Amino acid sequence: MSTTGTNAYTPTSRTARLSAGAADYLDERIGAARLVKGFARKVFPDHWSFMLGEVALYSFVILLISGTFLTLFYVPSMTLVEYEGSYAPMYGVTMSEAYASSLNLSFDIRGGLLMRQVHHWSALIFVAAIVVHMLRVFFTGAFRKPREFNWVLGVILAVLALAEGFTGYSLPDDLLSGNGLRIIEGVILAIPVVGTYIVFFLFGGEFPGESIIPRLYILHVFVLPGLILAVIALHLALVVAHKHTQYPGPGRTNDNVVGFPLLPVYAAKAGGFFFIVFGVIILISGLVSINAIWNYGPYDPSPISAGTQPDWYIGFVDGLLRLMPGQPEFTIAGFTLSLNVFLPSLVVPGLMVVALLAYPFLEQWVTGDKREHHLLDRPRNAPVRTGIGVMAIVSYCVMWAAAGNDLMAIAFGLSINDLTWLLRFAFFVLPPVAFVVTKRICLSLQRKDRELALHGHETGRVVRTADGEYFEVHEPLSETERWVLVQHEAYRPLAIPPKKHEDGRKVPAHERLRANLSNFFFEDRVEPVTPRELEAARHHGDHEAIEQPEGREAERRELGSSV
Amino acid sequence: MSDIQLPNSGKSPADEPDAGRTPVRFRNPGLPAHRHRQADVDPRAAKRAERQVLAMLGLSAVGSIFFIVAYFAFPLDGTFATLQVSNISLGLGLGAGIFFIGTAAVHLAKTLMPDTEMFDERHPQRGTEAERTDAAAIMVQGGQESGLGRRPFILGGLVGAAALAPLPAVVLLRDLGPAPGGALAHTLWDEGVRLALDPSAEPILASDVTIGSVFHVIPENLYESDHFLDEKAKAAVLLMRVDPDVVDVREDRAGWDVDGIYAYSKICTHVGCPVALYEQQTHHLLCPCHQSTFDLTQHCKVIFGPAKRALPQLPISVDDEGYLVAQSDFLEPPGPSYWERG
Ligand code: HEM
Ligand code: FES
């Protein structure tokens, strides 16, 4: 491409001349050459788990597109009107304009129902992708230095996504969404001291009032998407600045990034993947109906249908509300403290967010490791972290299951009281069990890795030695195969200091805490095989076939740096 | 902070291969040799891949055209049958139109674009010492040139003014809603207000309420109020008639029912869902939201679930014409708990 007025290269064909002209025009105005040179061949590593974040990003774009279509027809107003649209069963029913316009979107605007369903399905997939993406980042340790801030931004995005989803769920103003709002009102009322005021300010008076839908609307279509967009931009800018992490493997080091260039391969794959996600969501929306708002009628504080469920991502809060027994509500000096609502709906979710925000910093404090990490951990090589992650998943699943306790009770023929007790019990017992089991599994997988690195594959060939012994021939691993199994480091725990130094000064409590945590994390560990151990194993097992795989070795390309 | 936990941190000298001695750690063996794909070596395979990509783009075009045809071919008439047909065909058309562009691009990238892996070097986030010294110097210089360090009153004034400036924005939000006052403690129920059917607002004759029956009830004057949904959200009532003998005697509530006709707030004391399910045999009321269960025979005390307080009872009697009427408002605020409730 030509960069400045003086032509380094003379284009021959007509199209080449035209595009050279365009490139020249852009470069002289926005420095396009430098941008292209800096970015167009940036290398992106390839792995299926790296597509989870992309799914989240793409579903957000789809939400922007489908949501904008919805705004052309949706009327964010609680003014009561008589429905005169074409859906006969509702004809003449008094309802809010919001609900009437949502019905019109479904029944009178061609493609409107499709767009409503695209919007709702992509909202569900958006949040799901965020959560799974977050799990990937957690289990592979991708949040370690220098990416701690990006983890924090991710947690903020997750919270914003939940808020965005909830505000959207309320907009159709049908019976389901109104009941959701009623629960929110009850939850806010339970906030000590200021709860009642917040409700009156939020709803513009008493529930439901006539202000909440327009207020949620501006949050849903302007404030929250704007915030999400800004945080996504920061999130991606940091990804570019840090360059993507990669899984360990031959040739992949902490100082390089191995993969495909942005132009053309990554752009084609990622761009294509956007269309695939978009296409799949539209196909699902064409075939599987969701949130059939016409079934329930307009919001009315009196009726309700049993077995109604919130969107999946709100389920865990609903489940917590169901698990909590009612006792902890107190009247103190003439004021009501409703911990039976406040704790499960606000305090516990708040603590969950705090725990998510704090984890990278906590782990770094415990390991004392201040180095940059660009190679991902295999989850088995961080048994305690992996255990904590699975424990969190299990607690989340118990809460989530609790939100369906009525449906499960019917399905399994249990009394709902027994089932609730069972789930209350599970809430405290299952997570620690999951932790221990996961940690054990990780450790034994690591032992298996060691075994494999030391003794190679079993071949199934049994050989008889001269003195009549039988043994199975093991085939040693190639260097490339072995590398993945031996490349990691195992942290060692800190020695627990005594309560007092020898000179009688007290050892600060935080130092002892840190040492104790370090033991909790790293006391049980399996260290990777070292070259010496491998040598020793070969000497002992001299009946193994130990020739080096010469051929592959020769083919291997040399790489600049190595760990 | 000690770093004794890192046995082989970074590149220790022990890592360097040392002739004759076994290294402490394995060395990275480098990228394995590149394997060629079929389309790289076989021109026929490449041609086939090209045709496949083209076929997908063709399918996409078919989908888009199908969408446009279906849009005009299937008008809506308010019935589910047409809605279904329209939604499915629009979804299939648009979905295919977009989906196949994606598969075509990915297939193209996977089969026909180069698949040799490349590598970029990484550089630590931390600047070089020189950069850090320069940056620090710039900041210090900026600070000095601003002169704020030498003029502490300006700095103090700036902080003070900046802290005060957002306050008007907070005050500005004051009119988002009225102060709660006692609003949550009062409903439309009052002495003589007739109990009426929800939603028709027809008054209820005591004689029409047979044993075992349940009525969903609103105040007869509900629709006269300006904000009837707000009033309904507090005043909704469930009316049940049982054999008076099954209900525990409570002296302080003697005369609140009419021959075993009981009226209780329908708004759950947990977080406000309607307690809409009544089990006739057990005389239990169940809230479908989080399964709080209230026992009518014990004056709607909570016997299970996350609610703490019993449903408030509405004292009722019969007027001259035989219609059920309230004796007064609820004697305690109905609905979810709140701080000022007491
Ligand atoms: C992260 C982003 C978003 C999420 C998670 C989300 C979620 C939702 C959900 C769950 C609904 C209820 C849909 C239904 O079943 O009718 C909804 C409705 C709606 N959303 Fe969004 N949304 C997002 C972004 C947007 C944006 C960017 C816009 C507009 C620019 C928008 C406009 C609307 C409108 C107008 C409705 C009401 C449609 C109706 O009632 O039929 N949304 N949203
Ligand atoms: S609102 Fe009734 S149990 Fe939660």
Side-chain angles (χ1 to χ4, degrees):
Chain A
M1 125 205 16
S2 80
T3 45
T4 61
T6 56
N7 270 352
Y9 123 91
T10 334
T12 45
S13 76
R14 203 179 124 74
T15 31
R17 263 200 314 281
L18 271 180
S19 49
D24 182 54
Y25 185 89
L26 284 180
D27 187 37
E28 290 187 1
R29 278 154 191 87
I30 59 168
R34 234 168 288 131
L35 284 178
V36 168
K37 218 168 151 283
F39 286 99
R41 290 297 265 186
K42 248 182 117 49
V43 167
F44 287 85
D46 209 9
H47 190 268
W48 64 264
S49 69
F50 299 160
M51 299 201 303
L52 296 166
E54 281 180 55
V55 176
L57 177 65
Y58 299 156
S59 11
F60 180 66
V61 174
I62 299 166
L63 283 163
L64 291 177
I65 297 173
S66 56
T68 303
F69 177 85
L70 296 180
T71 62
L72 303 178
F73 303 97
Y74 173 79
V75 184
S77 151
M78 297 173 89
T79 305
L80 294 177
V81 292
E82 228 166 74
Y83 177 69
E84 287 172 348
S86 61
Y87 180 51
M90 290 286 173
Y91 196 83
V93 172
T94 306
M95 59 179 66
S96 68
E97 279 187 283
Y99 183 55
S101 65
S102 299
L103 287 178
N104 285 342
L105 252 169
S106 308
F107 287 99
D108 296 278
I109 308 293
R110 281 171 285 180
L113 178 62
L114 184 67
M115 282 303 134
R116 269 194 58 232
Q117 307 211 124
V118 166
H119 196 68
H120 207 132
W121 272 115
S122 35
L124 301 185
I125 291 170
F126 177 55
V127 189
I130 289 180
V131 171
V132 185
H133 170 61
M134 198 172 215
L135 292 176
R136 194 284 287 171
V137 169
F138 183 83
F139 284 116
T140 58
F143 54 78
R144 288 172 300 167
K145 189 180 170 186
R147 297 183 177 75
E148 304 96 319
F149 286 168
N150 231 11
W151 168 267
V152 169
L153 291 177
V155 176
I156 293 174
L157 276 174
V159 173
L160 287 174
L162 293 188
E164 179 69 348
F166 187 82
T167 51
Y169 187 76
S170 308
L171 292 183
D173 203 23
D174 63 331
L175 192 57
L176 283 190
S177 72
N179 264 312
L181 275 178
R182 174 107 227 203
I183 294 176
I184 289 294
E185 184 227 15
V187 163
I188 300 177
L189 282 177
I191 299 175
V193 187
V194 292
T196 321
Y197 281 84
I198 299 183
V199 163
F200 274 67
F201 288 170
L202 183 66
F203 288 85
E206 288 185 67
F207 174 88
E210 268 145 31
S211 311
I212 188 69
I213 293 283
R215 287 177 184 179
L216 291 179
Y217 181 70
I218 200 62
L219 288 176
H220 185 76
V221 304
F222 176 68
V223 180
L224 290 169
L227 284 174
I228 292 176
L229 207 57
V231 182
I232 288 180
L234 279 178
H235 196 69
L236 295 183
L238 280 181
V239 172
V240 170
H242 292 141
K243 300 200 168 99
H244 207 293
T245 52
Q246 58 192 347
Y247 283 93
R252 282 140 224 264
T253 74
N254 207 35
D255 306 314
N256 72 11
V257 48
V258 180
F260 298 109
L262 176 60
L263 262 186
V265 181
Y266 186 76
K269 279 191 182 171
F273 190 49
F274 167 72
F275 284 90
I276 292 182
V277 173
F278 201 171
V280 167
I281 289 180
I282 296 174
L283 289 172
I284 297 176
S285 310
L287 299 173
V288 190
S289 112
I290 184 173
N291 203 12
I293 51 168
W294 50 86
N295 279 344
Y296 305 106
Y299 179 61
D300 178 327
S302 177
I304 190 165
S305 53
T308 55
Q309 301 288 317
D311 270 354
W312 76 266
Y313 44 83
I314 302 292
F316 77 102
V317 184
D318 198 52
L320 274 171
L321 276 170
R322 293 178 188 217
L323 286 183
M324 184 77 186
Q327 280 77 17
E329 176 174 298
F330 310 102
T331 309
I332 305 164
F335 294 108
T336 303
L337 181 60
S338 197
L339 293 182
N340 56 337
V341 177
F342 185 53
L343 279 185
S345 61
L346 295 169
V347 176
V348 176
L351 290 177
M352 285 163 68
V353 172
V354 170
L356 281 174
L357 290 173
Y359 186 83
F361 304 97
L362 178 82
E363 194 186 289
Q364 194 175 90
W365 183 59
V366 172
T367 59
D369 186 350
K370 296 274 175 357
R371 298 168 303 170
E372 290 193 4
H373 288 278
H374 304 291
L375 279 178
L376 295 172
D377 281 328
R378 299 167 79 216
R380 69 184 61 177
N381 291 338
V384 169
R385 180 204 294 148
T386 305
I388 292 175
V390 174
M391 182 166 93
I393 296 179
V394 168
S395 345
Y396 184 90
C397 287
V398 173
M399 299 178 212
W400 200 57
N405 61 354
D406 45 347
L407 302 181
M408 284 199 295
I410 295 169
F412 301 132
L414 286 169
S415 105
I416 192 134
N417 302 18
D418 295 345
L419 186 67
T420 305
W421 273 108
L422 195 72
L423 286 165
R424 282 173 183 167
F425 193 65
F427 182 72
F428 290 100
V429 174
L430 285 191
V433 171
F435 173 78
V436 173
V437 171
T438 308
K439 187 176 151 191
R440 292 284 132 210
I441 292 179
C442 287
L443 289 169
S444 44
L445 285 174
Q446 278 185 283
R447 273 186 218 107
K448 218 178 104 215
D449 285 354
R450 267 187 72 89
E451 198 56 26
L452 195 60
L454 283 175
H455 304 298
H457 297 294
E458 295 170 1
T459 57
R461 255 189 307 134
V462 177
V463 174
R464 183 167 182 251
T465 60
D467 27 324
E469 253 183 275
Y470 287 91
F471 67 90
E472 188 182 357
V473 177
H474 281 227
E475 191 183 335
L477 302 182
S478 74
E479 218 182 341
T480 37
E481 279 177 300
R482 187 193 308 124
W483 175 245
V484 179
L485 308 179
V486 300
Q487 46 75 36
H488 61 288
E489 292 171 347
Y491 291 107
R492 293 183 185 151
L494 290 169
I496 299 193
K499 288 217 165 62
K500 281 191 176 145
H501 288 296
E502 274 150 36
D503 56 12
R505 277 181 307 118
K506 275 184 100 178
V507 174
H510 65 86
E511 254 177 49
R512 286 181 52 81
L513 175 67
R514 181 165 169 245
N516 278 316
L517 280 174
S518 164
N519 276 273
F520 169 69
F521 268 81
F522 306 118
E523 194 169 25
D524 299 326
R525 72 187 175 285
V526 177
E527 305 226 353
V529 172
T530 64
R532 273 193 206 125
E533 286 174 316
L534 182 61
E535 231 165 55
R538 280 183 186 163
H539 283 302
H540 292 163
D542 45 14
H543 35 241
E544 284 168 6
I546 50 168
E547 335 83 53
Q548 279 289 337
E550 298 278 337
R552 295 228 213 142
E553 189 92 320
E555 276 178 18
R556 196 163 297 135
R557 284 189 291 142
E558 223 356 273
L559 251 179
S561 44
S562 64
V563 169
Chain B
M1 236 166 246
S2 68
D3 61 358
I4 55 167
Q5 312 156 185
L6 308 171
N8 302 305
S9 56
K11 283 180 223 152
S12 70
D15 269 353
E16 300 307 324
D18 184 346
R21 268 212 287 142
T22 317
V24 173
R25 300 202 22 100
F26 284 101
R27 292 198 61 209
N28 192 327
L31 274 186
H34 182 65
R35 288 241 212 87
H36 288 295
R37 293 164 302 186
Q38 248 197 327
D40 296 333
V41 288
D42 178 0
R44 271 180 315 169
K47 254 284 164 277
R48 196 166 350 119
E50 201 181 317
R51 277 197 305 271
Q52 285 162 344
V53 170
L54 272 175
M56 291 180 202
L57 293 176
L59 283 176
S60 156
V62 170
S64 300
I65 292 170
F66 179 74
F67 175 91
I68 296 171
V69 172
Y71 185 91
F72 293 106
F74 304 122
L76 298 176
D77 61 3
T79 66
F80 282 111
T82 54
L83 187 61
Q84 282 269 342
V85 171
S86 156
N87 192 58
I88 292 177
S89 36
L90 295 181
L92 290 180
L94 193 60
I98 289 178
F99 176 78
F100 284 113
I101 292 183
T103 56
V106 171
H107 196 57
L108 178 66
K110 286 205 158 173
T111 53
L112 294 172
M113 290 182 185
D115 76 333
T116 2
E117 286 188 309
M118 310 185 17
F119 48 91
D120 271 354
E121 304 231 320
R122 291 184 192 272
H123 308 285
Q125 296 302 307
R126 183 192 165 101
T128 61
E129 285 311 321
E131 282 167 340
R132 288 160 63 100
T133 324
D134 287 354
I138 291 172
M139 293 310 286
V140 169
Q141 188 187 2
Q144 278 166 355
E145 286 177 6
S146 76
L148 290 181
R150 271 172 289 126
R151 302 190 181 89
F153 288 115
I154 294 197
L155 186 62
L158 189 66
V159 170
L164 215 55
L167 280 185
V170 176
V171 173
L172 202 55
L173 295 180
R174 169 59 192 88
D175 281 345
L176 274 176
L184 293 181
H186 299 289
T187 74
L188 283 182
W189 294 114
D190 203 353
E191 188 180 346
V193 174
R194 280 183 177 163
L195 281 71
L197 290 176
D198 178 19
S200 66
E202 283 166 37
I204 303 169
L205 281 170
S207 52
D208 286 348
V209 185
T210 52
I211 287 194
S213 61
V214 195
F215 289 79
H216 298 268
V217 169
I218 51 177
E220 190 186 15
N221 55 4
L222 179 70
Y223 296 113
E224 291 160 24
S225 103
D226 289 338
H227 304 283
F228 76 87
L229 282 180
D230 298 12
E231 296 302 338
K232 194 170 181 181
K234 296 185 290 185
V237 154
L238 211 54
L239 188 78
M240 293 139 296
R241 181 158 186 192
V242 291
D243 179 349
D245 293 340
V246 305
V247 177
D248 297 350
V249 178
R250 258 186 77 168
E251 292 302 333
D252 59 331
R253 293 196 183 176
W256 283 25
D257 63 303
V258 175
D259 292 337
I261 304 177
Y262 288 88
Y264 281 96
S265 164
K266 192 180 168 184
I267 310 301
C268 188
T269 55
H270 182 223
V271 286
C273 283
V275 183
L277 308 178
Y278 175 61
E279 288 180 349
Q280 274 192 21
Q281 291 87 10
T282 55
H283 307 297
H284 289 171
L285 286 108
L286 182 78
C287 177
C289 281
H290 315 104
Q291 283 84 43
S292 288
T293 312
F294 305 86
D295 184 357
L296 180 59
T297 67
Q298 300 181 62
H299 296 270
C300 284
K301 165 183 140 175
V302 180
I303 54 166
F304 187 77
K308 165 89 180 246
R309 285 177 298 102
L311 295 171
Q313 186 177 357
L314 183 71
I316 54 171
S317 58
V318 183
D319 69 9
D320 317 340
E321 296 169 55
Y323 289 109
L324 291 170
V325 292
Q327 296 180 19
S328 67
D329 199 349
F330 289 109
L331 299 192
E332 56 174 319
S337 303
Y338 54 98
W339 181 249
E340 298 86 347
R341 183 180 187 280

